[in-house]
Amino acid sequence: MTLKNALLSGVMLGCAASALPASAQQLVLEEIVVTAKQREQNLQEVPLAITVFSTAELDRLGVDNVQDLAQFTPNFNIYSGNGRHDASGLNVRGLSANTSDERYQPVSFFVDGIFMGGLSVGLETLDVERIEVLKGPQSAAYGRATYAGAIDFITTTPSLDEFGGKFTTELSSNKFDNFNYDIAGYIEGPIIENKLSASLFVKVKKDDGFDQAPGAQFDEVGQNETLAMNAVIFSQLGENTTLKLRGIYSGQDDQHAMNYAMQPAYWEQEGANIITLPSGALFVQGVIPDPIRGGIIGIDIADPTIVDNPQDGGYERDRYFGSAIVEHDFDNGMNLSYRGAYLWNTYDALIDFRARTAVGTDPIFGSALPLQPGESPFNFAFPFAFQEEFEDTSHQLRLLSSDEERLRWSVGAYYYWSADSNFQKRNDRAAPDGNPDFQSRGTENIINLAAFGSVQYDVTDQLTVGFEGRIQEEEVRYQSLAPAKAVSSGSDFLEDLVDKTTSFEPRLTVDYAPNDDQMFYAMFAKGVKSGRWNTTTTVPLVDGFRPVEGYVYAPPEKLFNYELGSKSTLMDGAAILNIAVFYQDIKDQQLRQSVQLDVDLNGDGGNDIVNQIFTAGDSRIYGFEIEGTVQVTEKLTVRSALGYSDHEFADDIPPSADFDLFDFVGGRTLKGKTSVNVPKLTATANIDYVTPVFGGDFDWRLRSDIIYTGKKYTELANLAQIDDFFIVNARTSLETEDWIVNLFINNVLDDETAVGSGLTGTSFCEFERNGPNLPAFNPSQRCIAVLPQRGREWGVSATLNF
């Protein structure tokens, strides 16, 4: 038996542990309370597939951000190919985003039920009480951009009568001789006892970069720095009325992720199976080799002609978020609440043309400068700078009925507005006339108005039916800069592009609880992904502007989810086992592809072909999730999860869809293919053992995690794939009620398999085979960019509670 098979067998056995027969000991797991349906409920009584992490569990798992969270959540995957600013691989239950635009993701993040706009992949966990990961369409309850799932950070409320706090520090290193640190502090307490309280959270974090060539004096590739601050004011305005104000600042300063653009000719030296496509270009068929992490030079690509950018290269992001929650409880048990927020997000980038801050000698490309025989002139590095400003606001008013009635209901209204502006500011050239800020294209707006409601009725003490629904109108507007010119000439058009759609998104559930320890449910839910305008076109200019007809609107994508599930409490409360089986039908799935238009805009006598976001047809997904926890003994707890999701395109896509090699491999279509960077199988097993030591004054804890990620394809032609891999973590700690000291090793086996991949364009990849060894440029070459894992990490952490 191979090591991988042995580890996977261990994960499967861990999942099966939740179905062990009852223990003779009277052991009871702590009740888990969630608010997924806007009411406090026991997790085992909610007819939804939810993975929940308490603050204690987050600490024990070492979860510090959303990427960590995904590792322990079945059927939830994140691949950020270009670092924390890129959400191109954010998916739940096998449904790929097919975009890096944060406004059109299938999953959204919330803080206390309030939408957290902008890109939130790098969101720190802040002062959380628990995190709820909800799978399947959540549009009826949570609104837009949750048509595949939602993640809600439920935070603590400052105490009105007692001071307290928490201080944590973590120091670690990977095998690259780097140094990582994470220091955070939280304090809370009353300002006016029983009336007004406040809390403050501060976090400083640095993940050091990867190895550099000897003598390099520049910032390392893969280095990330974070400063996060969070302040809360809580007021008891009256006996039944509360106000909670929150302010968040999050600053990120990142070097570019070490994203290798792997040329197949070089991969062949590492053992890859290389094929020649009909175009003459080379490509990998089968498993790609592990990327090489070390020996890379990071150079300073600062350019004095570029303003408002990180001068040492990389990415900078600043997020300012403010929210308010007002709640009033009526004497009859009803609850009226307002939730509102405003976010301002700025983003600056300075990278080279290869989308790396690393050029020069590296182990894959060899010397990038000077050009080698047959290499493309695009091979040299030059700075590429851009900026983005994003803001949004959301407001929700909701009225809930009493929890004590057989008939429970809710009604509410919602408003959302966002604006996204992009710039390419420089001071070595004049701004376009009428465009002093170097705006690269017109501002893009989204306005969403919605009304929503729900009703649940206990038909009997065992049988409950529920219906939720949201009707929303959404306007997507792509503004014209005319008569000014945009920096990107592909975005010059004379009038605004506007489309408005109305949708109804229902969720119907039926749950049956034959006894207090068992619940079965059936559910149907619909989710809608926003329609969107393509922001560029290749159609020629007419009198200095592009014809509006050349800008294609991709209509909304729709997901229909059919689900059966069960939630079981076993062993007299010592174990829980939750199972969900689902089938999802996706209509009008959005995809970037080359499509032939039905118009001739460039006057050459034929229909034009453009490479943009279009409706690619239908697809389907089926799968399951199994999650269980068992308190084996007073000292030993096992938690396991297994997720399977199989996505497949159902319709033919014409051979002109060559963005992902289809035109190069003989006219294959999407039918029967699957998405990129989406593994079918994910699994995790966690073993936690704790025992009193030193006469019972301390607890000694031993923790081990096994995390499995299945194979996934690098491109939609499904030719090349990343192999499956395991991550094994180990932790041991000495604990009291007031403090914890912890030693840990992450990625114990130092697995080097890539965590994600994507295709690169011609400017990233220059070679086809020309003789035995001599490379030659091929304009239609496609290569694979991969993101390596950080490797083994060992360290120490300490927590002080006061």
Side-chain angles (χ1 to χ4, degrees):
M1 178 180 289
T2 66
L3 177 61
K4 284 186 176 181
N5 288 336
L7 289 172
L8 185 55
S9 298
V11 173
M12 301 298 185
L13 290 173
C15 292
S18 298
L20 290 172
S23 168
Q25 298 177 338
Q26 294 300 309
L27 304 171
V28 179
L29 291 170
E30 182 179 351
E31 179 181 300
I32 301 174
V33 175
V34 298
T35 52
K37 284 183 170 286
Q38 286 75 54
R39 304 176 188 268
E40 289 191 352
Q41 294 175 278
N42 186 328
L43 172 66
Q44 297 305 100
E45 298 175 356
V46 181
L48 290 175
I50 313 172
T51 300
V52 184
F53 299 89
S54 67
T55 183
E57 186 69 10
L58 294 170
D59 289 341
R60 292 167 188 164
L61 290 170
V63 171
D64 182 65
N65 52 48
V66 180
Q67 289 94 332
D68 294 338
L69 188 72
Q71 290 187 318
F72 298 100
T73 307
N75 282 336
F76 177 34
N77 299 280
I78 291 179
Y79 159 61
S80 300
N82 290 324
R84 293 186 291 179
H85 73 286
D86 180 10
S88 57
L90 182 65
N91 63 81
V92 168
R93 288 185 168 178
L95 185 59
S96 178
N98 290 320
T99 178
S100 60
D101 193 320
E102 56 263 35
R103 296 165 301 162
Y104 302 103
Q105 296 294 317
V107 183
S108 288
F109 297 88
F110 297 80
V111 176
D112 294 327
I114 299 175
F115 177 67
M116 170 67 83
L119 191 65
S120 300
V121 169
L123 179 66
E124 303 299 329
T125 51
L126 304 175
D127 51 333
V128 297
E129 178 179 308
R130 68 182 181 275
I131 300 176
E132 301 176 8
V133 183
L134 293 79
K135 299 154 195 165
Q138 303 299 319
S139 305
Y142 283 83
R144 67 174 309 276
T146 59
Y147 78 117
I151 302 171
D152 199 359
F153 290 73
I154 311 301
T155 67
T156 57
T157 297
S159 173
L160 287 169
D161 55 15
E162 188 176 5
F163 284 95
K166 183 177 181 179
F167 176 79
T168 65
T169 182
E170 179 178 296
L171 307 175
S172 67
S173 178
N174 299 94
K175 72 174 187 177
F176 313 106
D177 298 325
N178 60 8
F179 177 68
N180 313 314
Y181 60 81
D182 186 343
I183 302 171
Y186 172 78
I187 187 171
E188 64 169 343
I191 299 175
I192 302 175
E193 191 169 358
N194 297 323
K195 291 186 178 295
L196 184 68
S197 63
S199 67
L200 178 65
F201 173 93
V202 179
K203 184 184 189 74
V204 179
K205 180 181 178 182
K206 178 180 179 181
D207 290 325
D208 213 349
F210 292 86
D211 201 10
Q212 294 180 304
Q217 301 297 318
F218 309 106
D219 288 345
E220 297 175 338
V221 175
Q223 179 174 292
N224 300 326
E225 297 183 50
T226 299
L227 170 62
M229 294 183 288
N230 178 24
V232 174
I233 295 177
F234 178 74
S235 176
Q236 189 75 45
L237 298 178
E239 183 178 355
N240 298 320
T241 307
T242 60
L243 169 66
K244 189 175 184 179
L245 302 175
R246 178 181 300 276
I248 297 175
Y249 167 76
S250 176
Q252 299 173 357
D253 185 359
D254 299 350
Q255 289 298 301
H256 198 283
M258 194 178 71
N259 196 344
Y260 276 127
M262 298 290 206
Q263 210 289 327
Y266 294 132
W267 277 27
E268 189 173 33
Q269 301 173 19
E270 301 295 326
N273 177 37
I274 303 301
I275 61 173
T276 301
L277 302 176
S279 66
L282 305 177
F283 204 73
V284 178
Q285 187 173 51
V287 176
I288 62 175
D290 293 340
I292 300 173
R293 291 182 298 218
I296 198 165
I297 292 180
I299 71 167
D300 191 338
I301 59 171
D303 188 334
T305 66
I306 298 174
V307 297
D308 294 338
N309 287 93
Q311 289 300 295
D312 56 353
Y315 307 90
E316 291 181 358
R317 180 184 293 275
D318 293 290
R319 179 189 290 116
Y320 304 87
F321 177 82
S323 65
I325 300 175
V326 181
E327 293 198 74
H328 178 77
D329 294 319
F330 295 94
D331 293 337
N332 61 3
M334 294 173 58
N335 173 272
L336 178 65
S337 67
Y338 163 80
R339 282 171 164 79
Y342 173 77
L343 177 134
W344 173 260
N345 187 89
T346 62
Y347 170 52
D348 299 285
L350 176 59
I351 58 176
D352 69 4
F353 195 68
R354 302 177 77 82
R356 304 179 303 171
T357 53
V359 294
T361 302
D362 77 39
I364 299 300
F365 280 94
S367 176
L369 295 173
L371 298 182
Q372 301 300 303
E375 285 188 298
S376 162
F378 290 107
N379 195 40
F380 64 86
F382 65 87
F384 177 68
F386 54 93
Q387 306 84 26
E388 180 181 17
E389 294 178 0
F390 177 83
E391 62 178 321
D392 68 15
T393 185
S394 63
H395 304 273
Q396 175 183 282
L397 190 65
R398 184 184 65 209
L399 180 64
L400 288 172
S401 70
S402 169
D403 291 340
E404 306 301 322
E405 305 297 329
R406 295 183 73 92
L407 177 66
R408 300 171 297 280
W409 52 265
S410 69
V411 293
Y414 180 81
Y415 170 80
Y416 171 82
W417 172 89
S418 73
D420 183 73
S421 302
N422 292 266
F423 309 87
Q424 293 182 26
K425 300 176 183 177
R426 301 183 68 94
N427 57 17
D428 65 334
R429 63 187 64 170
D433 290 342
N435 183 9
D437 294 328
F438 290 85
Q439 195 163 347
S440 56
R441 58 178 185 259
T443 298
E444 300 162 71
N445 295 114
I446 295 176
I447 300 176
N448 183 286
L449 295 171
F452 60 91
S454 68
V455 59
Q456 291 86 38
Y457 180 68
D458 297 331
V459 180
T460 69
D461 290 341
Q462 292 80 35
L463 179 65
T464 300
V465 295
F467 179 80
E468 302 163 82
R470 176 180 294 254
I471 184 168
Q472 63 179 9
E473 180 185 79
E474 182 160 287
E475 178 183 288
V476 180
R477 180 181 296 268
Y478 180 19
Q479 296 182 16
S480 169
L481 291 179
K485 303 288 287 184
V487 172
S488 171
S489 62
S491 297
D492 281 327
F493 49 93
L494 286 172
E495 60 188 66
D496 290 358
L497 305 176
V498 183
D499 195 272
K500 185 179 293 186
T501 58
T502 301
S503 63
F504 178 64
E505 293 152 79
R507 180 162 65 187
L508 174 66
T509 57
V510 178
D511 60 270
Y512 176 70
N515 54 62
D516 291 340
D517 296 329
Q518 186 73 57
M519 187 262 284
F520 302 95
Y521 70 88
M523 178 175 64
F524 164 77
K526 176 186 175 184
V528 176
K529 179 181 180 180
S530 299
R532 59 183 300 188
W533 286 102
N534 284 278
T535 56
T536 60
T537 184
T538 57
V539 174
L541 295 167
V542 177
D543 296 327
F545 289 90
R546 313 276 178 178
V548 173
E549 294 82 1
Y551 293 85
V552 178
Y553 176 77
E557 178 180 314
K558 297 170 284 292
L559 183 150
F560 300 88
N561 180 79
Y562 306 87
E563 185 171 332
L564 297 173
S566 70
K567 295 193 173 183
S568 306
T569 301
L570 308 170
M571 299 168 58
D572 295 327
I576 60 174
L577 177 65
N578 297 337
I579 301 173
V581 180
F582 59 88
Y583 175 82
Q584 296 183 333
D585 190 15
I586 298 97
K587 301 294 186 182
D588 301 326
Q589 185 163 6
Q590 296 173 5
L591 194 69
R592 183 173 295 279
Q593 53 180 313
S594 295
V595 170
Q596 193 171 50
L597 302 177
D598 58 0
V599 293
D600 175 20
L601 296 173
N602 59 17
D604 64 358
N607 293 344
D608 294 322
I609 295 178
V610 292
N611 184 1
Q612 296 182 334
I613 299 289
F614 287 87
T615 296
D618 299 344
S619 61
R620 60 102 185 114
I621 305 172
Y622 64 86
F624 62 83
E625 288 120 15
I626 304 174
E627 298 185 74
T629 302
V630 56
Q631 187 79 42
V632 182
T633 69
E634 288 186 51
K635 300 177 180 180
L636 179 63
T637 305
V638 176
R639 173 176 174 171
S640 297
L642 180 67
Y644 178 83
S645 57
D646 187 330
H647 171 269
E648 183 177 292
F649 291 101
D651 291 341
D652 288 324
I653 302 299
S656 60
D658 63 355
F659 182 76
D660 282 297
L661 301 174
F662 293 102
D663 198 32
F664 305 143
V665 295
R668 297 183 186 178
T669 72
L670 274 176
K671 189 173 184 178
K673 305 296 182 182
T674 191
S675 294
V676 175
N677 287 313
V678 180
K680 289 185 179 180
L681 187 64
T682 57
T684 180
N686 322 114
I687 300 173
D688 188 81
Y689 178 82
V690 59
T691 185
V693 294
F694 302 121
D697 294 332
F698 303 89
D699 284 336
W700 173 64
R701 185 182 300 274
L702 181 64
R703 178 93 185 195
S704 179
D705 309 314
I706 304 173
I707 303 161
Y708 174 78
T709 302
K711 295 180 180 179
K712 45 192 173 183
Y713 288 103
T714 68
E715 27 60 45
L716 288 173
N718 291 180
L719 292 177
Q721 63 185 29
I722 296 174
D723 208 352
D724 60 339
F725 63 90
F726 282 91
I727 298 296
V728 179
N729 302 328
R731 295 173 173 266
T732 183
S733 60
L734 197 63
E735 307 177 3
T736 71
E737 291 184 359
D738 297 326
W739 55 263
I740 301 172
V741 176
N742 178 60
L743 301 175
F744 65 89
I745 304 177
N746 294 329
N747 195 359
V748 173
L749 303 179
D750 194 29
D751 186 87
E752 296 185 356
T753 311
V755 297
S757 63
L759 285 186
T760 68
T762 301
S763 58
F764 292 85
C765 198
E766 297 83 25
F767 309 116
E768 66 178 6
R769 197 183 303 282
N770 184 7
N773 299 304
L774 182 64
F777 175 62
N778 186 314
S780 56
Q781 178 71 67
R782 292 289 188 269
C783 292
I784 306 169
V786 293
L787 186 70
Q789 299 198 50
R790 291 188 63 86
R792 183 185 296 117
E793 180 184 13
W794 58 271
V796 59
S797 65
T799 300
L800 175 64
N801 297 301
F802 57 90

